[in-house]
Structures are given as structure tokens and as C-alpha cells.
Amino acid sequence: MSAAVEFRQVGFTYPDAAGPTLTGVDAVVEEGEFCLVVGRTGSGKSTLLQAVSGLVPRFTGGLLTGEVVVGGRSTAGAAPRELADTVGTVVQDPASGFVADTVEDEVAYVMENLAVPPDAMRRRLEDTLDLLDLAALRQRPLATLSGGQQQRVAIASVLAASPRVLVLDEPTSALDPASADEVLSALARLVHDVGLTVLVAEHRLERIVQFADVVLHLPGDGAGARIGPPREVLGPDTPAPPIVRLAGWAGWSPPPLTVREARRAAEGLRDRLATRSEPAPVTPGPTGAADVAVRVRGLVATHGPVPAVGPLDLDVTTGTVTALMGRNGAGKSTLLAVLAGLHRSARGDVRVDGEVPWGRSPRALVRSVGLVPQDPAVLLFRDRVESECATVDHDAGLPAGTTRALLAELAPDVADASHPRDLSEGQRMALALAVVLAPGPRVLCLDEPTRGLDYDAKDRLVEHLRRVADAGGAVVVATHDVELVAELADRVVVLADGEVVDDGPTREVVCRSPLFAPQVARVLAPHRWLTVAEVEAAAG
């Protein structure tokens, strides 16, 4: 096999950064391999992928040392436009790269730039739309799509150019479990059937590790990168999905990478757990009017002529964490926007903290309800992290340093002098979380809050959100991260076409769904254990 991508002692330092983001990355990705890039938040995964397409350092500035070679060509001597027919790149924020108005035009745009003949363009367009299940959305305006639908469009627009190397940064972060599996399966087919080389950075390893031929681990602490088969690279000192962590505790060797493998290894563990009692489910419910933080009756919301939510009734009580789940386009983000006063309902009665959410002053609103959207950048407008935090303290009347201390808890390695745009996606999300959490809103709405967060950062977020709920707040999380739901939520509300189709305690709802069950529950079914920590506590 010939090398598709070579990293030859690659290092990189951003302008004005205190130290390098990458140091001495030396690795080879062969043609036709599916390479998974892993590492903690801020370890340089996105930077390394952008170096493959030549975006680093041409568009970011900074100092690149060593050499990146793609298809035998050094990126140092080729501009990104010269690599466009070889390397396709899907960034973390898909909407930032859109140039057209509709799905079909966006997918066709890159082929027009590459002067693909009309007949070939039409054929390739139809194949790509079918591959990513977008044919029914072909005439939809991009602005009306959900975040997950936009993600699929971004991937389709890149695949339409037929690149030999495909680079994707968090490609499933906004996708529901079924859509994520479809996208990853489609990529795997292209790897196996046509020899496409795929490099993917992803934090939700439970979704993707089974597709990977090799794993490239970036430790982010100055140590050298390591590349090899997943079973050899993933371990206690690397990010790892729940079944690999369960295997480490249970002593299974080699560690399983799929639920099927783990179920075969877990037969004895299931027998041990058969005599143990599952943790009692939390059954949230109001004990009085004062306990209801969110009250929704007959809500109907639209995006222009496109229905989004409703009719819908919902109560959210204080002291609880409620997870909103459902396929892309089910109405989760729209519902959160309504609760935060950013989207007026077409009809219905909505009360948040006892009042209608829209029409209130910003100062009063941030104390009542806070929203962290899917794109954290929309909340960040200062040129330094410390300025961003200081502004929140000033505007919310908080003691100086309150927001910065919260950021340090969520993401310890963010420097005060960093520009928010120079942070990794996970670090930006942590900063946005700190900005919204610091004023202490009674109702906290989070839309895909674990995008870009590694497992350690996710654990810190879970710990903080549990404290918010335990202190009497109400937390509503819209997410496709089933492992986050297993760790955090008391209650799960499943939406479909804007309506509630399931509602109840987390353990009951997720364990009766093949799509929303976490890995541990799938491995140990019919027993209803959700996390590795629960199993450790129960089995001793």
C-alpha cells in the first residue's frame, strides 16, 4: 500500500500562543485507511486535520514545522485550492462554509468550481444525495435545516468532488444516533469499495471506533503521537468509549470494540448482576406550582411555512435534568429557542420561571433563563478570553473572576490571552457554557453541549450541571449524546415531528429504545445498567 498522508515531525504554534499546539507528529496513513484521530480537548486534532488541506498555516497564521505530504505532494508547496481535487474537508461548524441557498445548489457548487461536465455532475449529485439521505431535502433552504441536517449537507458537498482524501472534524456531533451510523457506514463503504482515505477527529468514540482501521492519538502534552490498530492504541492513558473502559475494569482482553463483542465477553458479568438491584429510578413530578420552572401548553412553533414544534405540552420541574432526544429536525432546538425567548411561538402558552420568555429585558432574562446554542461562537464577541469573562461579571453584577473560575473548572487549559476564535471547538463550548452558567439562571437550556468535549471535560460538565439541579435549578438539555443522558438526566422526553412520543425516567425510556440506549445498557441487557460507574458499584 502507498501512503496517502504522511506527517513528518509536524509541529505547529499559533500566533501569540504561549506554546506549541502540535509537537513532533510523525505518522503515516495508508491509502484506503479509515484513520480516527483522538486526544483530549485542545490537543491539536483540528489543527492537524487543517494542515492536511493546507489551511494551516495559510489561513491561520502561525509557525508550521516539519512537513505534511498528501498523495506525494508537500502541502508547503501547494495552496489549498490546488489540493481541492485531492483533499476534501468538513469543518466542525458546517454552516460557516455554506455559499448557496438550497441543499441541491450547495452540493453542486464545488463541482461547478472544479468544472465537472454537466452529465457527470448530475449523476454524481444524485448519488451523493442518496448516499446521505438528502434527496427529500434537495430544495430546502439551508437556513431551515436542523444542525444535524446541515452536517449531512456539508459532508455531501465535499464528497461530491470525489476527493481521494477526506478530512472530517467532529462529523457526527450534531447527528442523531441513526443518522450518525448511516453517515459513518457510508464513509466506511467508500473506504472499502473505492479506496477513499478518511481522517476523522471525533470525541464520541462509542459511535466510530468500530469503523476505524487505525487510531492516531495526540496526547497534547508534548509527547509524541502514536498510531496503530484501535485495540493497541486505546487504553487507560487515551480517550476510550464506555465498553473499552468496562473491559479494563472487568479484565477482558483484548478489549472489545463493538457491542456484539462486548456482549459475548459479558456473559459472566450479566450473571453476577442478575442478583443486584438496579438503582431506583428518579420520577420527577411537581409537588406544587412553585416547583414548575417551565410550563408549556398547546405550543405550536414554525420556521416560516415549515412546522417545527407542536402541538406540545410540557412541564419541567426544579431540581431536575430533562433530556430532549429525537431525530434531527424533531424540534428540539426550536423548543429551546422558544423557552429562551429567541423564537416567538405561533400559538400556545409558554411560561418560564412564571413569565412569558419574550419581551423581557436582557438583564432580567439572563437571571431567569440561559441558552447555550449549538454554535458557541454566537455568544462570544471579545478578542480575549479574560475580557469575555470580565464582561459577563460586569453585566451580571457578579464578583470579579466568577466567570473565569467557572471556565477554569470546565476547561483548565484555556489561556487568558487567547482569542476565542483560536480555541478548539471544545474550548469554545466550555467558554460559552461559563458565560451562560455564571449568572446562575433558574432555567438552563443547553443545545448539544458536549460538541467538541472529551470524556474528562464531559465529566466536569456533568458534575457542574448536577450541582445546578441539586441547588434548585431546572436543566433542559437537547442532545444526541446517549452517554451524556445516561450520566446526567433524570428524565427523557423524546420528540418526533415536534410532538412528544415518549416521556419518563431516563432508565425506562432509554432502555426500551434501541437507538437511545447507552453502550453499557446494550451490553448488559436485559439488565438496565447505564454506566460503567453503576456496574462497578453494583458488582463490587
Side-chain angles (χ1 to χ4, degrees):
M1 294 177 65
S2 59
V5 180
E6 297 180 69
F7 302 103
R8 300 173 179 173
Q9 290 298 305
V10 173
F12 183 74
T13 304
Y14 282 98
D16 304 321
T21 299
L22 296 172
T23 305
V25 179
D26 201 23
V28 175
V29 180
E30 303 290 351
E31 182 181 339
E33 279 190 330
F34 194 122
C35 176
L36 172 60
V37 183
V38 303
R40 62 178 179 80
T41 299
S43 61
K45 301 183 297 298
S46 298
T47 301
L48 187 71
L49 295 185
Q50 290 177 29
V52 175
S53 60
L55 296 176
V56 167
R58 278 183 168 79
F59 288 92
T60 61
L63 176 63
L64 178 70
T65 59
E67 188 177 30
V68 181
V69 179
V70 180
R73 284 192 295 175
S74 173
T75 60
R81 65 178 179 275
E82 297 170 349
L83 295 169
D85 61 342
T86 301
V87 182
T89 302
V90 180
V91 297
Q92 287 181 340
D93 177 16
S96 66
F98 289 158
V99 295
D101 294 326
T102 67
V103 171
E104 182 173 283
D105 290 345
E106 181 65 30
V107 176
Y109 177 79
V110 67
M111 292 187 285
E112 293 172 347
N113 281 335
L114 294 174
V116 176
D119 290 346
M121 185 186 301
R122 177 62 188 274
R123 182 175 61 252
R124 203 182 295 177
L125 173 67
E126 298 302 328
D127 287 345
T128 306
L129 292 175
D130 289 340
L131 185 67
L132 290 164
D133 193 25
L134 291 170
L137 302 176
R138 63 191 308 153
Q139 298 301 329
R140 279 276 297 274
L142 295 171
T144 68
L145 301 181
S146 70
Q149 291 167 334
Q150 290 181 345
Q151 193 94 321
R152 280 189 284 154
V153 173
I155 295 171
S157 65
V158 171
L159 281 178
S162 297
R164 296 202 302 272
V165 177
L166 183 60
V167 173
L168 306 103
D169 200 355
E170 298 277 348
T172 73
S173 60
L175 298 180
D176 61 65
S179 296
D181 189 66
E182 289 174 4
V183 168
L184 294 173
S185 296
L187 293 176
R189 286 199 303 272
L190 292 172
V191 169
H192 296 156
D193 296 345
V194 302
L196 181 69
T197 303
V198 174
L199 285 82
V200 181
E202 181 65 71
H203 284 296
R204 298 182 187 177
L205 303 185
E206 62 273 6
R207 290 181 166 184
I208 195 171
V209 69
Q210 61 184 306
F211 296 99
D213 298 309
V214 293
V215 171
L216 174 59
H217 176 225
L218 302 179
D221 55 6
R226 183 184 177 199
I227 189 169
R231 297 183 203 277
E232 296 179 8
V233 175
L234 297 179
D237 59 340
T238 68
I243 55 173
V244 173
R245 300 201 304 273
L246 182 64
W249 170 81
W252 302 334
S253 183
L257 298 181
T258 67
V259 170
R260 180 184 183 187
E261 293 174 350
R263 282 192 60 81
R264 291 173 177 172
E267 182 176 356
L269 179 57
R270 284 195 297 273
D271 292 340
R272 289 170 61 189
L273 292 172
T275 61
R276 307 295 199 274
S277 298
E278 299 167 358
V282 175
T283 308
T287 58
D291 295 319
V292 180
V294 174
R295 182 178 178 84
V296 177
R297 291 292 180 271
L299 171 65
V300 174
T302 63
H303 291 288
V306 181
V309 175
L312 183 145
D313 295 340
L314 181 69
D315 284 345
V316 178
T317 58
T318 58
T320 64
V321 179
T322 299
L324 302 178
M325 304 188 77
R327 70 175 72 94
N328 292 118
K332 303 182 296 298
S333 297
T334 302
L335 176 57
L336 293 188
V338 169
L339 299 184
L342 300 179
H343 189 100
R344 292 289 298 258
S345 63
R347 65 176 184 269
D349 184 44
V350 179
R351 305 285 167 166
V352 178
D353 202 14
E355 299 186 42
V356 175
W358 41 84
R360 304 175 66 182
S361 70
R363 184 178 291 272
L365 193 60
V366 298
R367 291 287 191 178
S368 175
V369 57
L371 171 65
V372 179
Q374 285 190 22
D375 179 9
V378 302
L379 298 179
L380 309 175
F381 57 94
R382 298 293 184 182
D383 59 358
R384 291 166 63 92
V385 167
E386 61 181 353
S387 301
E388 201 77 61
C389 295
T391 299
V392 175
D393 292 343
H394 176 269
D395 291 348
L398 301 172
T402 300
T403 306
R404 186 65 184 88
L406 180 53
L407 174 60
E409 177 187 336
L410 297 173
D413 299 330
V414 177
D416 283 341
S418 297
H419 196 296
R421 71 163 178 251
D422 292 334
L423 302 178
S424 71
E425 184 74 9
Q427 290 171 328
R428 270 197 303 274
M429 179 60 77
L431 178 56
L433 286 165
V435 164
V436 173
L437 290 170
R442 187 166 184 250
V443 177
L444 183 60
C445 300
L446 308 169
D447 198 355
E448 293 293 349
T450 58
R451 291 184 69 177
L453 297 185
D454 59 36
Y455 289 111
D456 289 341
K458 189 188 299 186
D459 289 343
R460 293 191 292 269
L461 175 63
V462 166
E463 182 180 350
H464 185 85
L465 295 180
R466 281 276 24 134
R467 290 203 302 268
V468 170
D470 293 343
V475 180
V476 184
V477 182
T479 184
H480 298 302
D481 189 340
V482 298
E483 303 300 336
L484 172 71
V485 172
E487 294 276 358
L488 175 64
D490 303 309
R491 169 192 181 192
V492 172
V493 177
V494 180
L495 300 182
D497 298 326
E499 300 179 355
V500 175
V501 296
D502 201 359
D503 184 359
T506 298
R507 194 177 308 278
E508 294 182 8
V509 174
V510 301
C511 286
R512 63 185 174 224
S513 168
L515 289 178
F516 301 136
Q519 279 196 321
V520 170
R522 298 182 189 197
V523 170
L524 300 179
H527 309 304
R528 302 188 306 174
W529 305 94
L530 302 184
T531 67
V532 176
E534 284 186 355
V535 175
E536 292 177 354

